[in-house]
Amino acid sequence: METAAPKKKRCCESIRDFFTSAKFLIYMGHALSTWGDRMWNFAVAVFLVELYGNSLLLTAVYGLVVAGSVLLLGANIGNWVDRNPRLKVAQTSLLVQNSCVILCGVLLMLVFHFKGQLVELYNGWILTTCYILVITIANIANLASTATSITIQRDWVVVVAGQDSSRLADMNATVRIIDQLTNILAPMLVGQIMAFGSHFIGCGFISGWNLCSMCFEYALLWKVYQKTPALAVKAGQKEQELKQLSPQRDCENNETPEDSSQPLMNEVSVTNASDSPKQPSCCDQVSKPLHTFKAGWVAYYNQNIFFAGMSLAFLYMTVLGFDCITTGYAYTQGLNGSILSLLMGASAISGICGTVAFTWVRKKCGLIRTGFISGTAQLCCLMLCVVSVFAPGSPFDLSVSPFQDLYTHLMGEQTLPVAEHSLTDALSRNATTAPPAQELPPLQSYMSVSLLFAGVIAARVGLWSFDLTVTQLIQENVMESERGVINGVQNSMNYLLDLLHFIMVILAPNPEAFGLLVIISVSFVAMGHIMYFRFAFKSLGSRLFLCCSAEQKVEMDNSPSLPTTV
């Protein structure tokens, strides 16, 4: 009994220490932030569809504005993160994001309540102005969310983890599991509120949630900052200790790791500092964001993990995900909402398995090999999607022009029978939950759509494991002074490829052409993984294919001819 009491006391102290640690507080803040983001991202698309008469026009415009803004401003947002104190960046982006969501929610409540009167005022121009304000404010909220994601997930997590690569991997995996869970549960909650209440109540609930969440997140950020003194010190105030991914390559170029990793963004700031006595002109102020944009992309290109980052961006050029495109295609193939919800749940479970597998494989094989294994697993699973294109029940038909539906809409002609059920029509029905104008013909076989979703769900294991691999490679191999701008450019690349995949669907919206989109998507995923294989082989050489035990891996990690992150 005497020994049991101290053990119980130590156990209670360990539990208390965990729940008050900086790591747990970051998890809590991220969960609150992500929950609000997922609710808002789901609800704003539904609100815009409802406001514009069950049309996807406003939703499409909003998606285009968001993607274009991050594409153009990603480097500048990252540079702002790098140039300012961590606490100021986190608090400012948090306040701007939540304030914009609250303001947007209140504005939507007014529009829903007074829509009848607004339509009659000035021939509807007041209502159109409200639409523009909603999209603009929501876009500002998304930009602030991007800044929050960069500073917390790409910077604070690295500092809290310290120099412990295993701890960093565990934190990244936990953060990604939180993302997976909130991505499923948050839309379910707000969807039920809007279904049993109204869109007006939904707007009010989201605004109230963000108001309360903002206060809690602000307090959590302050606690984390107090518990982690290293957060108060940024690059420029201390010497950078950068882990170089390929030191042998630097030696071949007669460069030391420190010489080869000098941040280009710092060179720009040094140049500007030399001109500080002279007051900047108006043209200099206007052109500064353009210089930052160019310098950020050049710095990204010169990173030793450039091909790894590009490989991740290429995975966004795909229709093989549980987004509105795949959902629309599933509706044209006769799958109802109940089956799709089950498939989305299976996809989330598969993604969580991928995050767990990442931590296990990384400990056994090293970080770079984990990406190689994950990429190979994802490609193998996606082969099922390629097979589904030619399987029984597939609507794939090359005799039907993939641009036929686009041409008929542009020329103002009557839609031909074969283009009667396009993906855009299915998306409209899915977004509005209205019954279709005409029932789809029964399918002869569900083998094709079954193989498609089996491949998509199975590939999530490799996808999320690969995503975590590239994320940690960027965290460990980018200098602290460039961490924000490099991740900002990475976000821009992701949005660019994501935007291209939507353009691809607009050009070929018919179900008969979806098989072609699947083949193109798998091709882009394959090209992305080829880039990563090139990066991995250049980093490890023939050792990439060498399987090793834990003891052998430790010895190889200490070898001067190998990267420090392996």
Side-chain angles (χ1 to χ4, degrees), residues 264-280:
L264 297 181
M265 297 302 297
N266 282 355
E267 296 175 7
V268 176
S269 62
V270 170
T271 303
N272 294 338
S274 63
D275 300 333
S276 55
K278 185 173 64 176
Q279 285 292 336

Side-chain angles (χ1 to χ4, degrees), residues 123-428:
N123 296 323
W125 280 104
I126 299 296
L127 185 60
T128 302
T129 304
C130 291
Y131 293 157
I132 296 173
L133 285 175
V134 167
I135 291 175
T136 302
I137 298 173
N139 182 48
I140 295 174
N142 183 74
L143 293 175
S145 177
T146 301
T148 302
S149 176
I150 292 174
T151 190
I152 300 298
Q153 298 183 42
R154 303 295 186 264
D155 187 29
W156 282 46
V157 168
V158 181
V159 177
V160 171
Q163 299 296 324
D164 192 339
S165 181
S166 296
R167 189 184 185 194
L168 177 59
D170 292 338
M171 291 186 69
N172 285 333
T174 304
V175 166
R176 198 52 49 89
I177 290 175
I178 293 173
D179 290 340
Q180 291 285 332
L181 292 176
T182 54
N183 197 34
I184 296 296
L185 298 178
M188 287 176 58
L189 174 63
V190 72
Q192 295 300 316
I193 291 175
M194 290 190 293
F196 291 98
S198 64
H199 291 89
F200 182 87
I201 296 176
C203 291
F205 176 79
I206 293 175
S207 297
W209 173 276
N210 278 271
L211 179 61
C212 298
S213 175
M214 178 174 61
C215 300
F216 281 110
E217 290 178 61
Y218 197 93
L220 289 172
L221 286 174
W222 177 246
K223 283 289 185 182
V224 173
Y225 189 79
Q226 285 183 320
K227 289 179 176 292
T228 314
L231 289 172
V233 183
K234 288 201 76 169
Q237 301 172 348
K238 62 179 180 178
E239 289 294 325
Q240 295 300 309
E241 297 180 358
L242 178 66
K243 296 180 181 178
Q244 283 303 304
L245 200 56
S246 299
Q248 69 274 19
R249 183 191 61 181
D250 301 328
C251 295
E252 293 173 0
N253 297 332
N254 296 322
E255 293 179 342
T256 64
E258 291 76 7
D259 294 335
S260 63
S261 60
Q262 292 301 317
L264 297 181
M265 297 302 297
N266 282 355
E267 296 175 7
V268 176
S269 62
V270 170
T271 303
N272 294 338
S274 63
D275 300 333
S276 55
K278 185 173 64 176
Q279 285 292 336
S281 63
C282 183
C283 291
D284 293 335
Q285 292 291 338
V286 172
S287 62
K288 185 177 180 181
L290 296 177
H291 290 308
T292 303
F293 176 84
K294 178 184 176 182
W297 282 86
V298 171
Y300 178 77
Y301 175 78
N302 284 278
Q303 294 294 317
N304 52 14
I305 44 85
F306 168 71
F307 282 105
M310 286 292 294
S311 67
L312 179 62
F314 266 61
L315 302 191
Y316 283 77
M317 178 63 177
T318 178
V319 296
L320 302 174
F322 277 89
D323 56 4
C324 55
I325 303 301
T326 310
T327 303
Y329 176 75
Y331 267 78
T332 66
Q333 299 306 293
L335 299 185
N336 56 36
S338 176
I339 295 176
L340 280 174
S341 63
L342 294 175
L343 293 175
M344 291 183 68
S347 173
I349 294 174
S350 178
I352 292 174
C353 292
T355 59
V356 175
F358 162 75
T359 57
W360 184 81
V361 176
R362 193 202 66 83
K363 290 177 182 178
K364 296 292 183 181
C365 303
L367 186 59
I368 296 180
R369 291 186 188 86
T370 301
F372 181 85
I373 296 170
S374 303
T376 304
Q378 184 189 10
L379 276 177
C380 292
C381 293
L382 290 181
M383 289 301 107
L384 289 175
C385 300
V386 177
V387 173
S388 72
V389 175
F390 308 99
S394 173
F396 184 55
D397 187 1
L398 288 177
S399 64
V400 178
S401 172
F403 310 107
Q404 175 176 284
D405 192 56
L406 177 67
Y407 291 161
T408 53
H409 279 82
L410 291 176
M411 300 302 295
E413 299 174 1
Q414 184 178 2
T415 306
L416 297 178
V418 292
E420 192 172 8
H421 305 291
S422 66
L423 295 180
T424 51
D425 296 333
L427 291 176
S428 298

Side-chain angles (χ1 to χ4, degrees), residues 409-469:
H409 279 82
L410 291 176
M411 300 302 295
E413 299 174 1
Q414 184 178 2
T415 306
L416 297 178
V418 292
E420 192 172 8
H421 305 291
S422 66
L423 295 180
T424 51
D425 296 333
L427 291 176
S428 298
R429 290 198 300 273
N430 182 27
T432 61
T433 64
Q438 179 180 354
E439 291 295 330
L440 294 172
L443 293 175
Q444 296 179 352
S445 173
Y446 284 96
M447 181 179 293
S448 174
V449 69
S450 300
L451 287 172
L452 175 70
F453 281 97
V456 171
I457 292 173
R460 309 298 278 185
V461 177
L463 172 64
W464 287 111
S465 180
F466 183 81
D467 178 87
L468 285 168
T469 299

